[in-house]
């Protein structure tokens, strides 16, 4: 059980690498924020509200509210098993070991600091931080000329063109998974 409740330091960087989500978006996830949509795609539901009674989440801006498909590598590594174990222990939050305090009003502060220390220990130089994972995710799609409206939706950025913002539906999780997320391959 102790390992189960120290999982943030393992999972948060992996989720960041495979989703491009911001540190706090990941650290404040609730178990209910991971579910399978009607088309069978597992998603992270990035939102402020919660049905579980814990209203402790914040978003950077209105475009931060979104669904992010979960890459199959995260599922194979055991993310859904972790979620089920936490639900079995009646935990609401995906990373219950992370706490907010008056001096640290965000869940991700300690994870970010620990990540930076690990970069230093591994002698990874330059201006690297947890946010570098978001840059890596973005760069993966940029070099493939895929910084399009679908990418912006997943990334939590505003869709640039007025027509794209105001007309038509959001891209489905299945479309986002099939056309973007499943392309990620860090094995090479």
């Amino acid at each position: 059980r102790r390992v189960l409740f120290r999982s943030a330091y393992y999972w948060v960087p992996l989720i960041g690498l495979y989703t491009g989500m911001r540190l706090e978006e990941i650290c404040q996830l609730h178990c209910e924020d991971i579910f399978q949509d009607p088309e069978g795609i597992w998603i992270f539901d990035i939102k402020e509200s919660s049905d579980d009674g814990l209203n402790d989440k914040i978003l950077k801006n209105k475009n931060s509210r979104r669904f992010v498909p979960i890459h199959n590598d995260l599922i194979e590594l055991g993310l859904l098993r972790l979620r089920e174990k936490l639900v079995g222990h009646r935990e609401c939050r995906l990373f219950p070991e992370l706490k907010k305090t008056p001096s640290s009003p965000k869940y991700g502060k300690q994870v970010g600091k620990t990540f930076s220390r690990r970069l230093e220990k591994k002698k990874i130089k330059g201006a690297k931080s947890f946010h570098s994972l978001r840059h890596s995710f973005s760069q993966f799609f940029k070099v493939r000329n895929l910084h399009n409206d679908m990418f912006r939706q997943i990334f939590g950025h505003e869709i640039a063109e007025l027509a794209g913002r105001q007309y038509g539906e959001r891209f489905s999780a299945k479309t986002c998974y099939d056309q973007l997320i499943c392309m990620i391959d860090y094995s090479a």
Side-chain angles (χ1 to χ4, degrees):
R1 182 174 160 114
R2 194 168 86 77
V3 172
L4 180 65
F5 293 106
R6 295 282 302 154
S7 62
Y9 299 93
Y10 173 79
W11 283 108
V12 172
L14 284 172
I15 293 169
L17 190 61
Y18 279 93
T19 65
M21 290 165 53
R22 296 172 182 96
L23 176 61
E24 193 64 15
E25 290 173 341
I26 301 167
C27 291
Q28 68 187 7
L29 284 169
H30 291 203
C31 293
E32 72 178 24
D33 297 330
I34 296 176
F35 62 89
Q36 197 170 27
D37 81 351
E39 293 184 280
I41 302 297
W42 285 95
I43 61 171
F44 293 109
D45 185 3
I46 312 304
K47 61 185 181 180
E48 285 180 304
S49 63
S50 297
D51 295 332
D52 58 26
L54 293 176
N55 293 311
D56 59 348
K57 297 187 279 184
I58 55 169
L59 296 181
K60 182 176 180 180
N61 57 49
K62 66 180 176 130
N63 299 306
S64 298
R65 171 68 176 96
R66 65 200 187 279
F67 295 116
V68 179
I70 300 174
H71 193 283
N72 195 52
D73 286 357
L74 294 174
I75 294 170
E76 287 180 8
L77 287 168
L79 180 63
L80 300 180
R81 289 190 303 273
L82 170 68
R83 180 193 170 277
E84 289 309 310
K85 285 179 183 176
L86 289 164
V87 169
H89 286 287
R90 291 183 165 46
E91 291 290 343
C92 293
R93 296 188 50 252
L94 190 61
F95 304 112
E97 72 270 26
L98 302 178
K99 308 289 184 205
K100 288 183 179 182
T101 66
S103 62
S104 181
K106 291 187 176 184
Y107 287 118
K109 185 172 183 177
Q110 194 57 49
V111 175
K113 282 183 171 184
T114 300
F115 189 81
S116 293
R117 282 195 300 271
R118 286 185 181 163
L119 292 174
E120 288 173 21
K121 188 176 181 179
K122 296 288 183 184
K123 299 189 185 335
I124 297 173
K125 303 288 183 196
K128 302 293 182 199
S129 67
F130 187 89
H131 200 70
S132 299
L133 298 174
R134 188 163 162 83
H135 286 272
S136 295
F137 179 87
S138 177
Q139 183 68 12
F140 181 90
F141 293 104
K142 183 177 185 177
V143 299
R144 289 162 178 78
N145 199 28
L146 291 171
H147 269 198
N148 53 29
D149 288 350
M150 189 181 306
F151 171 81
R152 287 182 196 88
Q153 176 182 307
I154 290 171
F155 207 55
H157 279 187
E158 184 174 29
I159 293 176
E161 300 297 321
L162 178 65
R165 284 194 309 269
Q166 291 189 331
Y167 300 100
E169 301 290 321
R170 293 177 71 90
F171 296 101
S172 73
K174 181 165 179 31
T175 300
C176 292
Y177 187 85
D178 291 345
Q179 293 185 25
L180 286 177
I181 297 299
C182 75
M183 294 178 66
I184 298 171
D185 182 2
Y186 294 118
S187 65

